[in-house]
Every structure is written in C-alpha cells, then in structure tokens.
C-alpha cells in the first residue's frame, strides 16, 4: 500500500475519533490527548510526531494510541502499529484534523511583532499591542517544558484556545519561581494577541485585589469595584494563599466574583504556593470553587530541563555570550531550588563576562556563584529548625515530633520531618534517630522510605515538602 493511502487512513481515523469526542462533549480531551501528526509509514507501522516523550507516555496510558490503531484496523483490515518521534513543528495533517498547535516562533523584522490569529497560526503584524498588566516575555513560546510541567503547559494552551469552557477554573500550584505566573500570563498574552481590546483581561495579585477592595470600602465605591471585576472576560489571580487569614470580607467578595464569572463562562486562572487544601483560614466555599476545575502542580524541573532552560535563556541574549557547556552543566546540577535562582546564576555569569571581559571557566563560576549556591548547601541547617518548621506547619509541638506516640496526626508529620532531615542534611540514619527520641535507626529508614514512595504517586505531597524545605532554608537565614 502506498504512503499516501496510509496517510489518508491515519487522518480519517483521527477525524472519526474527533467526531466521537465532539458528540460526547469531550472535544478538549481530543485536542489534548490526540495531538500527533503523520510523518511517514512502512508496510506495518505509521510514524507520527508528538510534542515530547512525556506526552507520548500520557497518550499511551490514556488509551489514545490504542484507539487510533484500532480505528485504522477497522478502516484497513490490517494491524498497523503507531511509532513516534519527538518533533515540535506543526505538520499539515494537524491543521486538517483541527488539533491545536503550539505557536512556533518565526523570524521577524525589527518593525514587526507577532499576532496570533483565530486559526492559531502566528502571523506578523505591526498592530500588535502589549497588554498593560502582562509581561510580554511570559508567553507559551518562551516556556521550557519538562516532565514537571508538560501537562500544565498543554492544559493552559487548551484553555487559551478555548477560554471559559472545559478547563475552567485552573489552579496552578507549586513553589516560588517554578513558572506558575509565567503560564498564567501566557494565557492572557495569547488571548490578548488574538482579540486585543475586545477582550477584558485582568492580571492581579491577591494582595492587590485585597487592597483595592479595602480601599473601595473606605471610599464607598464598592459598586465600582464589583463592576470592574464581575464584568471581566478573563481573571488571572496570583498568589491566592495571601487570602489565608482575617480577610473574611475579601473572601466573600471573591466568592461572588467567582460565581459571576463562572456563570458567564469567563476564564479564571489562580496560582498558589501550596495545594489549596493546605491554605489555612480559607473559607470552605471558596476552597471548593478553586478546586472545581483542574489543579496543576509545578515541581522543580529535572536536571535535563534545568539545562534546557539555561540554554534557551543564553540563546535569547541580544549580545552573544560565550558560556562553556561545563559551566552550564555546573549551574544546572547545583541549583535545585527554583527556576528563578537558576536564571539568576546564569545572569551573574553573563554580567561577569560582559563587565570583566575574562573567559568564563568552572573556577570562575565556582568563585562567583559561591554565595548564590550556598542555599543549596545545607550542612548548617539544624535538626531543631527542621522540627520547628514541620511542627508549626502541622499545628503540633516539637515534643510531639520527637515522641513515640502513634496517633496518625503525629506519625505523618514525624515521617515528613525525618524525610526532610535525610534529604537536606548530612546526618546519617542513626544520627537522625538520636534527634527523634532515640528511635531505632531502622524505624527512621522505614519512615524515610514510606514518604519517598508516597511522593511518587502523590504530587501534592511533593509540593508540600518543597514548600517546607524552602521555609526551613528561609528560617535558617
């Protein structure tokens, strides 16, 4: 059978599956989990391109690949297997089957900027306008994905293409500097590039929202405040953990604002530094609203992704900078806190190269980044600090952490404190045992392993531990 026939069968299979999903009101699922395009074929298999290895694994686990193979078998009577390659460039077949594409950057003249048209293609335009509240560098194009963020990226892209529908609201949570705000503002920038002033987009922090509301009460202009926020098309609310305590009136106003926007199918995106169920002092009715849509966890990227982020930032510099690969490797391996710190270290190297004019070497990097990397060196963190922070987080005492009591409310925090102690200090298991009431070191090893295993299946636990580690390091400082 010819290559053209196989291509036609592949596209017909996708088209029929697309129609099935559309009839079941699952079109967004189709757009997300069937995002692949024809590349080539042999007598027994079709090769398709996908955005990443992570997405291919997700498509397999969700049955998308098997569904396409079965549909092709129905059409051809032949057992055809799907193979894949990772390739980000959109292909013609993707356009025909209406699968959404990640915008690809095109070369532009100094006078031209980019505009995303309604058919999701990027075209040059002199009419592009920057949204006054959004950073113009916070775009999908500039976001480097890895296994820690690929799913969140794809969901945000789908929401940007079809705002206010299935993926609404979106709650993005995770530690400081991991890309939550970048993804959220990317949605705003994408929509503003398409619709300009025809769409009302507001990006605001929870703290500023609170201050505005308090000022509206003081100035007797609450109706004006309500009109401003309840008539939006897109609300991007950053750092909702700020609403944690003593802000009942603000929470009530946000609750009614949420309901008004949700009823009108307006897109809402929220960010938080922890899972929403761990934000203390948040009204339950507001907590359930934040949890109504999709909750996306961003954790620290892997070494490979950290390196890709550094390389992309280096390539984006207006003036070429010679940073050797081993220096990039050194930064990627040693900065494990967040992306913000990662980029800060690279900026230090670029500044040194620009101002001093000396070649960048590993020795130079070690000397210049000693203070910046000290936050990753945890030998000076005391066990007492770890126990204090964990105990405070879970509302128990240090004596509870050290005790041998087996109540569930005490055992879990104790195991977390043990896990963190092993991860960020040089203490051995016997050393840790002495700091936790003289327990047998095998008990300490069991506690460590239990948390380690649970983190593999519970992304919210991993996010909580990341948060606690940051608090421990801040406490130390």
């Amino acid at each position: 059978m010819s290559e053209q026939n196989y291509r036609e069968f592949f596209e017909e299979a996708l088209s029929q599956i697309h129609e099935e999903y559309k009839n079941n009101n699952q079109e967004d699922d189709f757009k997300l989990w069937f995002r692949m395009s024809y590349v080539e074929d042999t007598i027994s298999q079709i090769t398709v391109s996908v955005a990443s290895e992570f997405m291919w694994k997700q498509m397999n686990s969700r049955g998308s690949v098997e569904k396409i193979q079965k549909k092709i078998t129905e059409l051809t009577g032949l057992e055809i297997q799907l193979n894949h390659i990772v390739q980000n460039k959109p292909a013609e077949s993707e356009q025909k089957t209406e699968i959404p594409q990640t915008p690809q950057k095109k070369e532009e003249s100094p006078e031209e900027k980019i505009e995303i048209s309604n058919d999701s293609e990027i075209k040059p335009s002199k009419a592009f306008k920057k949204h006054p509240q959004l950073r113009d560098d916070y775009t999908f194009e500039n976001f480097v994905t890895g296994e820690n963020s690929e799913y969140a990226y794809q969901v945000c892209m789908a929401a940007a293409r079809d705002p206010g529908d299935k993926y609404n609201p979106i709650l993005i949570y995770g530690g400081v500097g991991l890309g939550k705000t970048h993804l959220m503002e990317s949605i705003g920038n994408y929509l503003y590039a398409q619709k300009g002033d025809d769409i009302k987009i507001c990006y605001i922090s929870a703290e500023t929202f609170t201050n505005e509301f308090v000022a509206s009460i003081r100035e007797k202009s609450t109706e004006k405040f309500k009109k401003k926020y309840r008539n939006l098309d897109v609300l991007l609310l950053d750092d909702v953990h700020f609403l944690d305590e003593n802000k009942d009136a603000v929470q009530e106003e946000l609750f009614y604002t949420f309901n008004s926007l949700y009823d009108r199918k307006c897109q809402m995106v929220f960010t938080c530094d922890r899972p929403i169920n761990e934000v203390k002092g948040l009204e339950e009715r507001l907590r359930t609203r934040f949890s109504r849509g999709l909750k996306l966890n961003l954790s620290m990227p892997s070494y490979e992704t950290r390196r890709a982020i550094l390389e992309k930032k280096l390539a984006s510099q207006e003036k070429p900078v010679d940073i050797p690969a081993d220096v990039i490797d050194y930064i990627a391996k040693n900065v494990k806190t967040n992306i913000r710190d990662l980029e800060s270290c690279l900026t230090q190297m670029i500044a040194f190269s620009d101002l001093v004019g000396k070649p960048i070497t590993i020795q130079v990097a070690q000397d210049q980044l000693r203070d910046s990397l000290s936050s990753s060196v945890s030998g000076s963190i005391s066990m007492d600090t770890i126990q204090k922070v964990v105990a405070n987080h879970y509302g128990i005492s240090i004596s509870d952490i050290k005790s041998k009591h087996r109540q569930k409310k005490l055992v879990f925090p104790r195991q977390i404190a043990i896990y963190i102690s092993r991860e960020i200090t040089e203490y051995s298991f016997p050393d840790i045992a002495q700091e936790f009431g003289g327990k047998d070191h095998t008990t300490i090893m069991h506690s460590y392993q239990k948390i380690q295993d649970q983190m593999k299946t519970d992304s919210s636990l991993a996010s909580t531990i990341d948060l606690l580690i940051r608090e421990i390091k801040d406490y130390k400082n």
Side-chain angles (χ1 to χ4, degrees), residues 387 402 428-439 441 444:
Q387 292 168 344
K402 294 183 176 183
S428 65
F429 284 122
D431 292 334
I432 296 172
Q434 291 303 311
E435 296 291 338
F436 283 83
K439 296 177 177 61
H441 77 277
I444 301 299

Side-chain angles (χ1 to χ4, degrees), residues 245-257:
E245 294 177 0
N246 302 320
K247 302 179 179 69
D248 293 344
V250 176
Q251 290 193 32
E252 181 177 17
E253 176 56 31
L254 182 56
F255 172 78
Y256 288 118
T257 297

Side-chain angles (χ1 to χ4, degrees), residues 39 51 57 99 111 160 171 187 197 202 205 263 271 320 357 385 401:
V39 176
K57 291 176 183 177
I99 303 173
E111 299 81 27
L171 174 68
I187 294 174
D197 293 331
C202 178
S205 69
D263 289 344
T271 71
T385 296
I401 285 274

